[in-house]
Amino acid sequence: MSKDTAIERRERRVGRGADVPASWGLGEGQAIPWEYASAPEARDIVDIKPRYGLFVGGKEIAPRSGEWFTTIDPSTEEPLAEIARANAADVDHAVGVARRAFRRSWGDLPGAERAKYLFRIARILQERSREFAVLESLNSGKPIKESRDVDVPLSAAHFWYYAGWADKLDYAFPGRVAKPLGVAAQVIPWNFPLLMLSWKIAPALAAGNTVILKPASSTPLTALLFADVCRQADLPPGVVNIVTGPGEIGMSLVRHPDVDKVAFTGSTAVGKLIGKAVAGTDKALTLELGGKAANIVFDDAPLDQAIEGIVNGIFFNQGEVCCAGSRLFVQENIAEPLVAKLKDRLSTLRVGDPLDKNTDVGAINNAAQLAKIEELVESGVAEGAEIFQPACELPERGFFFRPTLFTGVAQSHRIAQEEIFGPVLSVLTFRTPDEAVEKANNTPYGLSAGVWTEKGSRIFAIVKRMRAGVVWANTFNRFDPTSPFGGYKESGFGREGGMHGMHAYVRLEDR
Ligand code: NDP
């Protein structure tokens, strides 16, 4: 880390733009007088090896490239382990292994037999949940209370759910025969490493496909621990393969001629490249890309509940969530009290050590992402929006960013247009339902949205007009394996979760 950066980081320790909200009765730069004793989760349940090879054919192998890279803890910038850097020959080998496993063992296995393996994986994930939660927080920077209560339980739930479908495909698609596609190439991001793995692998395996998964370079560790779960579950070798390496390895995998299905979650820019690479082939494709969700609050909404929903919508996982409620639309007549309450609530958020059970906002996942957040926040200030950041101590080391709120935001501001993927909320106002809908839909994205009102009829009226794959009513960021998730427009296409998620991994034939 350069000296300049360290100085800049220290400067960020003081909140900006607004002083601490008046209701706290404190002066500028003073912290909220709530003391918490630290409550660190013990990390000794996790045994991190110095080095991890590729997981191909049921065993760990050295990369043909002979190269390795380092994965770090984003909250301390300390190295955690060395990871194999695959090359195109490694990808080719992994695809060949997955193809053989599809032909020889997995593709023809009766659904009830496949289900047993998925149930076993689900159970092992639950048994080893604390280990997974600690490792996820160490490698991704997310608070332990989120990895423990959301990421890991939901990951296990996906395996339980799709295990249930494995022997019922005839009922899922009545009158049709569901056949697996073959070999699936799956490229996932760093914001929910284990959960995205589960969203991808569980339906693929339940339908009878074999997979090669490429985790994000900054968060490979829980995928590599999952390799151990596959061995523990006695999954036939080659059914799940994990190949680590940079983005270009993701592209080699996607382009490989012996791949039948491509599933990608990540940025819209890379999603477009993948779309181009797959175009003209007969590979099946699903893309789950970025978002700029609108969270709309009407004047009849229960304000305190809405505040919790807004905070959860944008500060959950440091805002590094594709469906984050990053644009808040508030009906004009309640804007003032709502923003005041929001500032108070922001001032209670605890930012810091991801392994502390009190932490609400952990570390940003990587230095590049932190730089992107900083740049976009500066653009908001330069374009004339009013910034509020609560006064709170940020750790000296690691990639931390203070929860940030912008008011006076115009539709044309970059902070209202671009996906920030950080703990930054833009507040805009509206007067009528029509105006709310028009402004909310004014985005190239269409992944998710939220609406807060006491009137059921208004919920239905608004939801019908929102151009978003998921719309939450009087809640936000709720996930369930039975419920399909996915986007419109530049947020991608295809659905994950529910029966729709299974559909993405089968070829339907007439009986
Ligand atoms: P990317 O889309 O670059 O990364 C997602 C995955 O794709 C990673 O496994 C990455 O590998 C891989 N990848 C990168 N380049 C290619 C390529 N050319 N071909 C195939 N695979 C590739 O996201 P970033 O991590 O760079 O984040 C950039 C921005 O994307 C964020 O600021 C955020 O706005 C958005 N984003 C959206 C996510 C979502 O869920 N919708 C998730 C993550 C980011 P590697 O890690 O090795 O580069």
Side-chain angles (χ1 to χ4, degrees):
M1 189 183 22
S2 77
K3 234 177 171 180
D4 280 348
T5 321
I7 292 163
E8 281 165 24
R9 296 236 172 104
R10 256 192 298 282
E11 282 174 356
R12 284 204 311 276
R13 290 173 66 183
V14 180
R16 267 204 303 176
D19 38 18
V20 174
S23 59
W24 291 109
L26 298 169
E28 186 168 355
Q30 283 185 276
I32 296 303
W34 288 1
E35 299 283 331
Y36 278 83
S38 67
E41 179 75 41
R43 61 177 281 180
D44 52 8
I45 189 156
V46 174
D47 183 18
I48 302 180
K49 296 190 296 184
R51 230 179 206 200
Y52 289 84
L54 308 171
F55 181 65
V56 179
K59 50 183 191 289
E60 187 179 342
I61 59 171
R64 284 161 163 68
S65 66
E67 290 176 25
W68 306 81
F69 65 94
T70 304
T71 189
I72 65 164
D73 174 347
S75 70
T76 60
E77 302 172 58
E78 296 292 338
L80 289 174
E82 291 213 309
I83 308 293
R85 189 185 200 281
N87 63 15
D90 289 305
V91 168
D92 192 45
H93 172 61
V95 173
V97 166
R99 173 63 59 192
R100 278 195 294 285
F102 176 68
R103 282 210 197 103
R104 290 183 192 164
S105 62
W106 196 250
D108 293 328
L109 203 64
E113 292 304 310
R114 292 197 304 270
K116 287 181 192 166
Y117 289 103
L118 273 92
F119 280 126
R120 220 179 274 170
I121 290 172
R123 204 192 58 235
I124 297 169
L125 281 175
Q126 287 185 324
E127 283 167 2
R128 299 178 68 174
S129 59
R130 205 158 76 81
E131 191 182 350
F132 270 98
V134 171
L135 189 61
E136 194 73 308
S137 284
L138 275 172
N139 201 197
S140 74
K142 66 175 69 207
I144 185 74
K145 70 177 176 190
E146 291 180 5
S147 48
R148 182 196 61 197
D149 298 348
V150 182
D151 296 60
V152 178
L154 266 180
S155 299
H158 272 265
F159 280 95
W160 287 119
Y161 174 73
Y162 281 110
W165 274 121
D167 63 345
K168 301 178 192 69
L169 294 178
D170 287 349
Y171 306 100
F173 309 104
R176 315 292 304 275
V177 181
K179 292 275 174 66
L181 294 168
V183 174
Q186 306 179 318
V187 180
I188 57 168
W190 42 258
N191 53 343
F192 292 92
L194 182 70
L195 187 59
M196 290 302 105
L197 172 151
S198 306
W199 281 25
K200 299 271 180 293
I201 293 184
L205 261 48
N209 304 277
T210 57
V211 306
I212 305 113
L213 178 118
K214 192 203 94 63
S217 291
S218 57
T219 52
L221 288 180
T222 45
L224 294 165
L225 187 60
F226 183 80
D228 200 38
V229 171
C230 294
R231 278 190 294 243
Q232 199 181 336
D234 271 335
L235 193 69
V239 172
V240 168
N241 305 278
I242 296 174
V243 170
T244 45
E248 66 199 62
I249 286 310
M251 191 47 92
S252 303
L253 188 56
V254 164
R255 282 188 186 280
H256 197 288
D258 207 20
V259 156
D260 303 295
K261 154 84 189 174
V262 173
F264 172 76
T265 298
S267 63
T268 296
V270 173
K272 285 180 180 172
L273 293 177
I274 290 179
K276 277 188 199 151
V278 168
T281 71
D282 57 4
K283 293 173 190 170
L285 175 65
T286 39
L287 295 174
E288 202 267 274
L289 310 176
K292 192 74 188 169
N295 206 356
I296 306 173
V297 184
F298 284 95
D299 60 4
D300 62 345
L303 273 202
D304 290 327
Q305 256 172 273
I307 293 288
E308 291 312 305
I310 295 162
V311 167
N312 173 274
I314 186 62
F315 299 113
F316 171 62
N317 204 38
Q318 299 73 243
E320 297 166 317
V321 184
C322 48
C323 53
S326 52
R327 291 180 302 150
L328 175 66
F329 289 97
V330 187
Q331 199 152 21
E332 203 175 83
N333 54 331
I334 55 158
E336 208 176 299
L338 185 135
V339 168
K341 273 179 183 285
L342 204 49
K343 287 181 177 177
D344 277 1
R345 182 67 177 89
L346 249 65
S347 304
T348 67
L349 291 176
R350 294 174 297 273
V351 186
D353 180 6
L355 283 191
D356 190 320
K357 290 172 213 134
N358 290 325
T359 295
D360 297 305
V361 179
I364 301 300
N365 179 258
N366 57 72
Q369 186 58 31
L370 179 58
K372 178 180 169 183
I373 297 168
E374 286 171 347
E375 196 265 319
L376 274 160
V377 164
E378 289 314 320
S379 85
V381 174
E383 287 185 319
E386 194 178 312
I387 190 170
F388 170 82
Q389 292 176 319
C392 59
E393 287 273 320
L394 295 189
E396 283 290 322
R397 295 205 71 191
F399 312 131
F400 287 92
F401 196 81
R402 199 182 299 279
T404 300
L405 177 85
F406 276 109
T407 47
V409 180
Q411 292 260 79
S412 57
H413 288 168
R414 286 181 64 201
I415 52 170
Q417 291 285 329
E418 297 178 30
E419 184 179 46
I420 300 176
F421 226 63
V424 183
L425 178 65
S426 297
V427 185
L428 299 97
T429 57
F430 67 91
R431 288 183 185 172
T432 64
D434 282 349
E435 189 188 344
V437 170
E438 197 182 314
K439 284 181 164 173
N441 284 338
N442 180 19
T443 165
Y445 295 109
L447 190 55
S448 66
V451 51
W452 296 82
T453 170
E454 211 177 47
K455 294 188 185 67
S457 56
R458 180 176 273 165
I459 290 173
F460 286 116
I462 297 289
V463 165
K464 242 179 16 194
R465 297 169 65 196
M466 295 304 300
R467 300 189 66 204
V470 180
V471 187
W472 286 289
N474 293 330
T475 186
F476 210 92
N477 274 341
R478 287 271 177 173
F479 304 98
D480 189 286
T482 64
S483 176
F485 182 90
Y488 293 101
K489 304 195 281 183
E490 294 211 0
S491 295
F493 51 80
R495 295 291 177 266
E496 294 184 295
M499 255 166 57
H500 302 70
M502 186 62 104
H503 195 269
Y505 285 94
V506 295
R507 196 177 60 242
L508 295 179
E509 294 176 355
D510 292 333
R511 275 192 193 281

